[in-house]
Amino acid sequence: MENLAAAEQSVERLSIDDSIEYLKANHSQAIKLDDRDGYEGVIVDSDMLVDIARVIRDELGFDYLSSATAVDYLGEGDHMEMVYHAYRSSGGGALVFKAQTDREAAEIPSLVSVWRGADFQEREAWDLYGIRFPGHPNLTRILMWEGFEGHPMRKDWREAYYEEEQKPFDSRWPGGHVHRAEEKNVFGKNVSYPPDIDLNRLMDTSEEAVYQSLGLGVDIERIMDKDGFETNELVVNMGPHHPSTHGVFRMLLTVDGETVTSLEPVMGYLHRNHEKIGERNTYLHNIPFTDRLDYISSMGNNHGYVLAVEQLMSLGRKYNPPTYRCEALRVMMVELSRIVNHLWAIGFWLNDIGAFFTPVLYFIQERERILDFFEAVAGSRMMCNYMRFGGLFGDLPERIKSVSNLTNDRVRDYNTMQFLTEMINERIPRTIDELEVLLTQNEILIERSMGVGILSAEDALNFSAAGPLLRGSGVAYDIRRADPYSIYPELDFDVAVEEEGDMYARYRVRVTELRESVRILKQILPRLESTQGESIWADGKPGAYAPRVPHGESYGRVENGKGELGYYIVSAGGRGGSSNPWRYHVRAPSFINLTPLGHMSKGHKVADIVGILGSIDIVLGETDR
Amino acid sequence: MDLNLQEVNATEFPVPVELENNIAITSLSQLYNWGRRNSMWPMLFGLACCAIEMIATASSRFDFSRFGFEVMRATPRQADLMIVSGTVTKKMVVPIVRLYNQMPEPKYVLAMGACASGGGPFKEGYNVVSGMDKYLPVDVYVPGCPPTPQALLYGMIALQRKIDGQSIANGDDVPWYGEGPAEPTPVPVLGPDIIDPRQMDMIRRQAESAASEMDLLGQRELPALTQLVAAKVETAQAAVAEAGPVDEDALSVVLPTGGTPWAEAEDIREKRRLRALARKALRATRRTAQTEGE
């Protein structure tokens, strides 16, 4: 018995390669190595997928499904593929496994029974790729509306403003003439209709379908309450225009009195087709688009994307890793973004639970100064577009312009390093202290948030929660430590973790992370001083405008303010590589963190729902992409 | 627009000495506009990235309350101004039009940023509406991605200047001062793709003609259309080449009325200019009449 337990434990600690060997040894009939050039992991037989997934989760210990996404290999093998990245919550790299299916009748068994975190991701794959998932409890469209024609991410589906497969378009470069997309469209608008459209009998079924997924219909349902009185269960619609949904997010609640009995998130109101546009763009084109995903912390988004592409580029021959100064600058920018993000998240969460706007105003003070710094360095306050493959847009300027006080102050001229030192050593810690004094022991805050919106550690892992939502549930999983990148291994900081799993725990995690970020920044400052004058580019000059990226796949992930931000990129060029990604997928923490929202909200009052949503901290640019 | 007490007191109406500088006399339009422009309440309504800069504009560093945009209201029924702050998607345009219909008149729309003005970086996306003005009348466009708070403030002040120029008396300027109730904007329908009910006839016509011409629609193959256009251009070019050197008069189109399109356009422009001048002159005479009234 003990031997068996020991053996199981050792299996749980197998390295990635050994895990694949283990799978091959035990399930040889269902497993095939993925030997395509630049690919990793295994290809699992579709019929056996659920069983193999259970083996991967239970026997091998890969208990965290980070990303599940589809790829359309039209012309590159003519099949559809689901790609899964599973991790161990104790840390380490990914076990990548894939399932392939025919393009025409695409069907892959659902993994919701193994990882509930696959729920929304499979719905997304159905919506955008048209892959059916037998066994999925609610396989409806998630980003587009029910009734939309076609599955837009398929390679042979073309948008109304289609011009060419890949940029740069011939019409713009090198010849170059200006035209408007409307001129080439029959309807003069961004629309296209099927030939059999019947305008006389036009039905908007999108709403109906949304309500049907609740299992209630639109009508009120009569139920008996516990005292035997007949009462009504109501459907309440919150959003997409609602001040507490942090953008154009929508929740459908069924309530019994004030108590929520079920909650269904409805999204896609800001689905602006990052991925389709990203596959037309060149690699470099995509960097400014990543800014607009999580628009509170654009630097972090840049970092994840740049890492993913650098991983691919490192497969090629001509690749130099970024210099030390470049890495230090990247980490500094990302940590400053994290501070902005957490201040913003805490502030807006307080908005939601009743402290309307006053705390935010205090937090925005520090945010504005950090934004001044970003503006001086990158040229834009919010959309920094700062990182490049193998380098950065530019080094720190000598002097920057900012204010010391937001109201009634003139613009002052600062030495950049002095400005940073003052901000990191004095101003930000002071803001955090102030925040803690006023809030952490605040009785109203504790009353409102303790014990509300509880997510247990097992559930958090199973739902693929990430970031403060996961760490607030007692899982010490921070990618900066679990699967380190950049210069994080040499930096001294702790992973913030709280056991309770409620709203208050998430707040505490954020506050601790603010302090840890300051701790990291304090270590970065001397590194910047000592590397003064070093180039930010590997070979001393900026990288190519249109780099050719070698054939293969990569998954670059970073710990962003809201959680694990991953980019799955496939380069499907010939031998020389490609200048446009074949697949560009964003594993958005805000999107996947919403999966447990319904589970967490059940049994709470309507007023707590907005607080629970605020404590997850979503941003819609990333949720809907 | 500041009310200059000296100026407004210079009136033909006798004002008792003890009330001088306590009474202001002006036109109803000016008074009304002065009140309106300084109490424009925006709707608390954020769409995308621009919303964050809108919040920054509302908070202490920039503070649009200083200019009369006092407080943001979450309900459209208490709002005068809709700041469309971000990318308008096909799925979202339906609620936006509904919100707009719920706003009381007079109401204004400010398109903040590149996306709301014309689709911006996401214009080619299949779920993106290329500009709010495809569905709602937009009063001010603020460029930028996202616009800085300063730019947004400038746009809002531009809106105030626009209000200053409006008159209760003139129904052409502002639809809601005209006669009869204003029509609500029809809500778009989410079918196989978004459908604007106002354009049903056009869509039907285009669909029919395209289907009859070469069964284009439904293939979603725009290259086929570009080929068609290219073929037409080619035949036209061939015809031109055959005809030899071009005589400009021969090319001119003659309208049923006898003029050419550009002459007619110029005509309209000239008429419009004269009308504007006349209106300006009228206003000037009124103003001098007021000041000379003493």
Side-chain angles (χ1 to χ4, degrees):
Chain A
M1 200 62 192
E2 264 176 24
N3 274 346
L4 199 69
E8 248 174 43
Q9 265 198 355
S10 63
V11 169
E12 276 187 18
R13 275 199 230 101
L14 285 178
S15 70
I16 306 292
D17 289 338
D18 291 342
S19 303
I20 292 175
E21 285 305 316
Y22 176 85
L23 280 177
K24 266 173 68 183
N26 291 304
H27 305 275
S28 54
Q29 75 285 8
I31 298 285
K32 191 170 87 189
L33 263 187
D34 192 353
D35 49 8
R36 287 172 288 182
D37 195 17
Y39 283 66
E40 52 177 335
V42 292
I43 298 172
V44 181
D45 186 14
S46 257
D47 300 333
M48 296 283 288
L49 182 67
V50 179
D51 299 329
I52 298 291
R54 270 186 218 286
V55 172
I56 288 171
R57 186 192 68 180
D58 299 335
E59 289 177 30
L60 292 167
F62 288 89
D63 48 0
Y64 184 74
L65 179 73
S66 162
S67 152
T69 186
V71 189
D72 180 4
Y73 282 102
L74 175 68
E76 303 272 327
D78 285 327
H79 59 268
M80 289 274 189
E81 191 171 289
M82 277 298 284
V83 185
Y84 303 90
H85 285 77
Y87 289 87
R88 289 190 176 112
S89 56
S90 51
L95 179 66
V96 189
F97 59 102
K98 295 152 191 169
Q100 295 180 339
T101 177
D102 190 46
R103 286 190 82 249
E104 293 314 313
E107 208 171 78
I108 288 173
S110 169
L111 286 189
V112 176
S113 57
V114 188
W115 286 288
R116 277 175 288 176
D119 184 349
F120 284 6
Q121 306 187 59
E122 284 178 355
R123 277 176 71 187
E124 186 193 318
W126 155 245
D127 188 356
L128 303 183
Y129 281 92
I131 302 176
R132 289 202 171 275
F133 293 91
H136 192 286
N138 178 25
L139 194 65
T140 49
R141 283 184 182 266
I142 188 164
L143 295 177
M144 301 304 288
W145 61 90
E146 208 64 51
F148 181 74
E149 170 91 357
H151 300 284
M153 282 296 287
R154 285 185 169 234
K155 285 281 176 189
D156 51 358
W157 194 96
R158 282 166 178 175
E159 62 271 29
Y161 282 170
Y162 174 83
E163 188 167 342
E164 261 174 69
E165 281 299 325
Q166 283 171 338
K167 286 177 189 166
F169 296 147
D170 281 344
S171 63
R172 322 284 168 84
W173 190 85
H177 66 268
V178 178
H179 72 84
R180 290 163 72 241
E182 288 89 330
E183 291 162 11
K184 291 198 169 180
N185 185 290
V186 204
F187 301 100
K189 259 182 158 187
N190 192 6
V191 289
S192 60
Y193 304 107
D196 52 346
I197 183 167
D198 186 356
L199 292 170
N200 299 324
R201 260 183 296 148
L202 206 59
M203 293 273 283
D204 187 340
T205 54
S206 54
E207 281 302 288
E208 221 170 277
V210 165
Y211 285 106
Q212 261 164 13
S213 73
L214 268 179
L216 269 178
V218 189
D219 290 333
I220 294 164
E221 193 171 278
R222 293 182 188 287
I223 53 168
M224 294 298 209
D225 76 353
K226 59 180 192 309
D227 300 323
F229 288 112
E230 193 182 280
T231 172
N232 293 332
E233 195 158 72
L234 276 175
V235 179
V236 178
N237 204 357
M238 288 177 78
H241 165 71
H242 191 279
S244 74
T245 51
H246 299 231
V248 285
F249 179 63
R250 175 175 171 196
M251 293 177 283
L252 274 181
L253 321 172
T254 50
V255 290
D256 172 14
E258 267 287 285
T259 312
V260 175
T261 50
S262 76
L263 185 150
E264 180 71 27
V266 185
M267 52 193 103
Y269 292 96
L270 193 55
H271 178 49
R272 37 187 187 182
N273 328 124
H274 271 274
E275 295 182 3
K276 188 84 178 174
I277 296 174
E279 288 172 12
R280 302 241 184 274
N281 283 346
T282 64
Y283 286 99
L284 195 66
H285 268 136
N286 272 338
I287 297 178
F289 280 88
T290 62
D291 287 335
R292 286 155 182 82
L293 284 167
D294 173 0
Y295 33 75
I296 315 277
S297 40
S298 68
M299 291 284 193
N301 305 346
N302 285 180
H303 199 193
Y305 177 63
V306 166
L307 280 182
V309 177
E310 280 173 1
Q311 265 180 39
L312 268 177
M313 286 167 87
S314 65
L315 300 174
R317 272 176 295 132
K318 278 193 296 179
Y319 172 73
N320 295 319
T323 59
Y324 191 82
R325 182 171 176 78
C326 166
E327 294 281 15
L329 276 170
R330 280 183 183 179
V331 170
M332 179 175 77
M333 297 301 177
V334 169
E335 293 305 321
L336 284 173
S337 300
R338 196 185 315 280
I339 289 172
V340 169
N341 181 75
H342 283 356
L343 286 177
W344 197 263
I346 294 173
F348 276 80
W349 173 64
L350 289 164
N351 268 3
D352 293 343
I353 62 172
F356 195 71
F357 237 84
T358 310
V360 178
L361 289 180
Y362 285 89
F363 302 155
I364 282 179
Q365 281 198 6
E366 274 327 294
R367 176 180 185 262
E368 285 289 336
R369 278 174 61 90
I370 295 175
L371 292 197
D372 279 347
F373 171 66
F374 284 168
E375 187 171 11
V377 177
S380 174
R381 279 159 54 88
M382 273 171 66
M383 306 305 180
C384 302
N385 187 11
Y386 183 56
M387 298 186 192
R388 299 286 184 273
F389 313 127
L392 297 167
F393 157 73
D395 207 332
L396 296 182
E398 283 276 300
R399 307 191 71 78
I400 76 167
K401 288 196 160 54
S402 182
V403 289
S404 72
N405 186 9
L406 288 194
T407 44
N408 302 326
D409 193 22
R410 64 192 161 79
V411 176
R412 295 161 193 269
D413 188 43
Y414 290 92
N415 177 298
T416 307
M417 286 314 284
Q418 271 173 14
F419 177 82
L420 277 175
T421 315
E422 191 214 344
M423 187 159 74
I424 291 167
N425 288 327
E426 290 164 36
R427 296 191 64 119
I428 298 176
R430 206 190 307 147
T431 309
I432 303 172
D433 288 342
E434 192 182 33
L435 181 160
E436 282 234 79
V437 165
L438 291 172
L439 297 172
T440 303
Q441 294 304 323
N442 185 312
E443 208 179 320
I444 305 173
L445 185 94
I446 290 176
E447 281 292 314
R448 276 301 303 271
S449 59
M450 266 194 186
V452 176
I454 293 181
L455 188 66
S456 72
E458 299 80 53
D459 281 343
L461 273 175
N462 199 263
F463 274 116
S464 303
L469 182 63
L470 181 64
R471 290 190 288 278
S473 293
V475 183
Y477 191 75
D478 186 320
I479 297 164
R480 292 174 291 172
R481 278 279 179 259
D483 188 11
Y485 53 94
S486 199
I487 56 168
Y488 281 111
E490 61 172 70
L491 295 171
D492 180 29
F493 69 98
D494 294 325
V495 175
V497 64
E498 297 283 334
E499 297 296 327
E500 291 81 10
D502 55 7
M503 273 160 56
Y504 189 66
R506 279 164 227 148
Y507 160 77
R508 289 290 296 273
V509 167
R510 292 206 171 91
V511 174
T512 320
E513 277 186 13
L514 281 172
R515 294 206 183 278
E516 294 301 325
S517 284
V518 172
R519 205 166 133 198
I520 293 173
L521 286 168
K522 282 182 180 165
Q523 299 166 49
I524 292 288
L525 282 177
R527 286 171 164 80
L528 285 184
E529 296 279 8
S530 66
T531 55
Q532 201 101 44
E534 194 183 304
S535 173
I536 47 168
W537 287 96
D539 37 9
K541 62 178 194 331
Y545 179 76
R548 295 199 75 80
V549 175
H551 193 275
E553 62 168 1
S554 76
Y555 184 63
R557 54 182 202 148
V558 290
E559 186 66 40
N560 214 7
K562 297 188 166 56
E564 174 184 341
L565 176 70
Y567 290 88
Y568 178 70
I569 290 170
V570 175
S571 170
R575 290 174 63 85
S578 66
S579 52
N580 306 67
W582 179 264
R583 176 80 174 106
Y584 161 78
H585 172 70
V586 186
R587 185 257 188 234
S590 302
F591 176 62
I592 296 167
N593 281 356
L594 282 172
T595 324
L597 178 65
H599 173 81
M600 281 154 62
S601 306
K602 227 164 262 177
H604 287 296
K605 303 285 184 240
V606 175
D608 290 330
I609 301 303
V610 291
I612 295 173
L613 182 70
S615 76
I616 296 179
D617 181 20
I618 59 163
V619 62
L620 265 295
E622 191 180 65
T623 307
D624 294 340
R625 284 155 290 145
Chain B
M1 176 191 62
D2 292 317
L3 285 182
N4 183 346
L5 278 183
Q6 295 302 320
E7 204 176 284
V8 294
N9 268 337
T11 159
E12 63 200 271
F13 297 100
V15 176
V17 181
E18 62 268 31
L19 285 183
E20 253 176 27
N21 294 335
N22 287 323
I23 285 179
I25 291 175
T26 180
S27 73
L28 182 60
S29 255
Q30 278 194 5
L31 179 69
Y32 182 62
N33 286 342
W34 174 72
R36 260 171 358 103
R37 73 182 317 262
N38 290 318
S39 61
M40 293 288 288
W41 289 6
M43 183 154 59
L44 181 55
F45 168 63
L47 285 179
C49 336
C50 286
I52 307 295
E53 284 297 58
M54 184 175 70
I55 294 167
T57 317
S59 60
S60 44
R61 188 177 190 178
F62 302 98
D63 190 12
F64 58 41
S65 301
R66 293 181 295 159
F67 304 96
F69 300 88
E70 186 57 37
V71 63
M72 294 178 108
R73 306 306 292 180
T75 162
R77 284 149 214 262
Q78 296 172 352
D80 309 294
L81 165 65
M82 177 192 261
I83 301 179
V84 184
S85 53
T87 315
V88 182
T89 62
K90 290 176 184 171
K91 205 168 168 178
M92 191 59 201
V93 78
V94 179
I96 294 178
V97 170
R98 281 210 193 102
L99 287 170
Y100 180 76
N101 285 340
Q102 289 179 48
M103 283 167 69
E105 291 160 343
K107 52 189 170 185
Y108 298 91
V109 179
L110 187 148
M112 179 183 183
C115 294
S117 303
F122 300 100
K123 183 176 176 180
E124 63 192 272
Y126 48 84
N127 191 26
V128 175
V129 172
S130 25
M132 194 63 246
D133 53 5
K134 299 280 183 294
Y135 291 89
L136 297 180
V138 174
D139 295 280
V140 178
Y141 299 86
V142 181
C145 190
T148 56
Q150 292 92 330
L152 178 60
L153 278 179
Y154 183 78
M156 294 166 98
I157 291 167
L159 178 66
Q160 290 185 327
R161 282 209 300 274
K162 179 170 183 170
I163 294 171
D164 286 340
Q166 294 181 333
S167 159
I168 307 177
N170 190 353
D172 295 343
D173 262 10
V174 213
W176 37 84
Y177 296 152
E179 280 174 18
E183 289 291 316
T185 312
V187 178
V189 180
L190 291 178
D193 205 331
I194 194 160
I195 296 165
D196 190 344
R198 292 172 297 190
Q199 295 182 338
M200 285 287 201
D201 279 343
M202 206 178 88
I203 294 169
R204 194 174 288 127
R205 256 201 327 276
Q206 275 159 339
E208 274 165 13
S209 70
S212 67
E213 206 156 311
M214 57 182 292
D215 199 31
L216 264 180
L217 237 61
Q219 295 177 14
R220 288 185 184 270
E221 293 264 339
L222 279 166
L225 180 79
T226 38
Q227 274 165 24
L228 174 74
V229 173
K232 281 194 173 166
V233 169
E234 219 166 76
T235 41
Q237 276 170 349
V240 170
E242 219 169 82
V246 181
D247 178 12
E248 281 209 9
D249 293 337
L251 270 181
S252 63
V253 184
V254 181
L255 293 177
T257 47
T260 53
W262 45 92
E264 189 148 278
E266 223 149 71
D267 223 32
I268 292 170
R269 221 172 295 140
E270 181 61 19
K271 272 184 197 154
R272 204 179 283 163
R273 198 176 65 85
L274 287 177
R275 257 211 310 273
L277 276 179
R279 234 181 287 154
K280 201 171 171 188
L282 187 68
R283 270 205 293 274
T285 41
R286 271 193 203 141
R287 210 171 299 135
T288 42
Q290 256 179 24
T291 45
E292 279 167 9
E294 58 182 301

